[in-house]
Amino acid sequence: MKGTGKTLLMIGATSDIGRATALVYAEAGWAIHLAGRTRAAVQREADDIAARTGAAVTVHELDILQTARFEAFLGAVSPLPDTVVCVVGELGEQSRAEQELEYAAMVMRTNFEGPALLLGLLAERFAARGSGTIVGTSSVAGDRGRASNYVYGAAKAGLTAFLSGLRNRLSRSGVRVLTVKPGFVRTRMTDGMKLPPLLTAEPQEVAQKIFAAAEGGSRSDVVYVRGVWRPLMTLIRSIPESIFKRLRL
């Protein structure tokens, strides 16, 4: 396969969406940096992608909660990637988060603090170079707080706001910032949940949408993987609080 000379950094490489997205980029001729918490698991994904596509794949160990190690991690990623895609997330259990402070903090830090700080560091490097694409995966859960998952949703709302501000600040720097909201996805994280077919995407569908939005000339800054989510969440956000708090959502 003829390479493009471009490089992707995939944060969260062992997740279903991360694996599928890295494969899409590799099939398009990109070199791939895979980053995940467990090196052995990341290496398995790297070996599989390399065997399938012939792409150059490198492996990096990264725990999104160990923010003090971010600088060292980025120093080991060479060359500086053209695009970074971060799909790190932890749905967690709302009821447990309501009772256990440390558990709630882990959910919040995994979905907001860690990804935001890491993407912020990459943004500075991209801005200094004058080019680059940052893709952060947020969630429709962050569009409005709901009783069933407001700890997770609050963290994703924070990430959405961070990406929006970063995009605004870097709009004239040559750096593009995308926010992707997959909605329900059939992954290990949602295993056992009853998911509505119309609103539920497959990991490969999310991966293709990310690639098309980031590399295909699209001008969209905020991407809902399934378009039906945009009007649906617009409707949910418009419900008056006096009514909304009586709903079971």
Side-chain angles (χ1 to χ4, degrees):
M1 178 185 295
K2 185 177 180 180
T4 63
K6 294 183 177 180
T7 304
L8 168 74
L9 171 59
M10 170 56 60
I11 308 296
T14 60
S15 69
D16 295 306
I17 296 174
R19 179 190 308 116
T21 304
L23 184 59
V24 167
Y25 274 84
E27 289 173 340
W30 289 53
I32 310 294
H33 293 297
L34 294 183
R37 187 167 49 189
T38 306
R39 178 173 287 273
V42 179
Q43 187 65 61
R44 285 193 294 271
E45 300 301 340
D47 293 343
D48 180 67
I49 291 171
R52 288 171 181 254
T53 67
V57 186
T58 58
V59 170
H60 304 273
E61 190 171 338
L62 172 70
D63 187 331
I64 203 67
L65 298 181
Q66 295 181 358
T67 57
R69 298 186 180 182
F70 285 177
E71 291 281 5
F73 162 74
L74 292 177
V77 175
S78 180
L80 184 66
D82 297 278
T83 294
V84 56
V85 177
C86 180
V87 298
V88 172
E90 176 66 49
L91 182 60
E93 300 174 22
Q94 173 63 35
S95 58
R96 183 179 174 187
E98 292 167 10
Q99 302 297 322
E100 299 178 24
L101 182 65
E102 289 188 2
Y103 181 77
M106 181 276 293
V107 173
M108 290 180 173
R109 294 186 64 220
T110 300
N111 289 293
F112 173 47
E113 180 189 78
L117 293 177
L118 182 58
L119 293 179
L121 289 175
L122 278 158
E124 295 309 302
R125 287 162 169 77
F126 285 3
R129 183 179 61 190
S131 67
T133 299
I134 295 169
V135 181
T137 55
S138 187
S139 174
V140 297
D143 286 6
R144 187 164 191 178
R146 297 180 295 122
S148 60
N149 67 352
Y150 63 81
V151 172
Y152 170 79
K156 286 299 190 182
L159 183 61
T160 294
F162 178 86
L163 292 169
S164 177
L166 193 64
R167 178 164 50 246
N168 183 252
R169 182 170 73 86
L170 299 179
S171 61
R172 294 179 177 84
S173 70
V175 179
R176 189 170 179 219
V177 180
L178 295 178
T179 305
V180 175
K181 299 182 181 183
F184 296 124
V185 185
R186 208 174 304 280
T187 65
R188 286 168 290 176
M189 192 167 75
T190 59
D191 188 41
M193 296 174 60
K194 293 182 178 180
L195 304 176
L198 180 64
L199 300 176
T200 304
E202 299 294 332
Q204 295 77 13
E205 183 180 350
V206 180
Q208 292 287 354
K209 196 79 171 186
I210 288 173
F211 185 82
E215 318 302 339
S218 169
R219 293 189 177 184
S220 296
D221 294 319
V222 179
V223 178
Y224 288 84
V225 170
R226 291 212 164 177
V228 66
W229 279 107
R230 189 180 296 274
L232 178 59
M233 296 314 298
T234 298
L235 175 63
I236 289 176
R237 287 195 303 269
S238 71
I239 299 173
E241 197 71 16
S242 59
I243 297 173
F244 187 77
K245 66 185 180 183
R246 295 200 298 267
L247 301 177
R248 293 184 177 274
L249 294 174

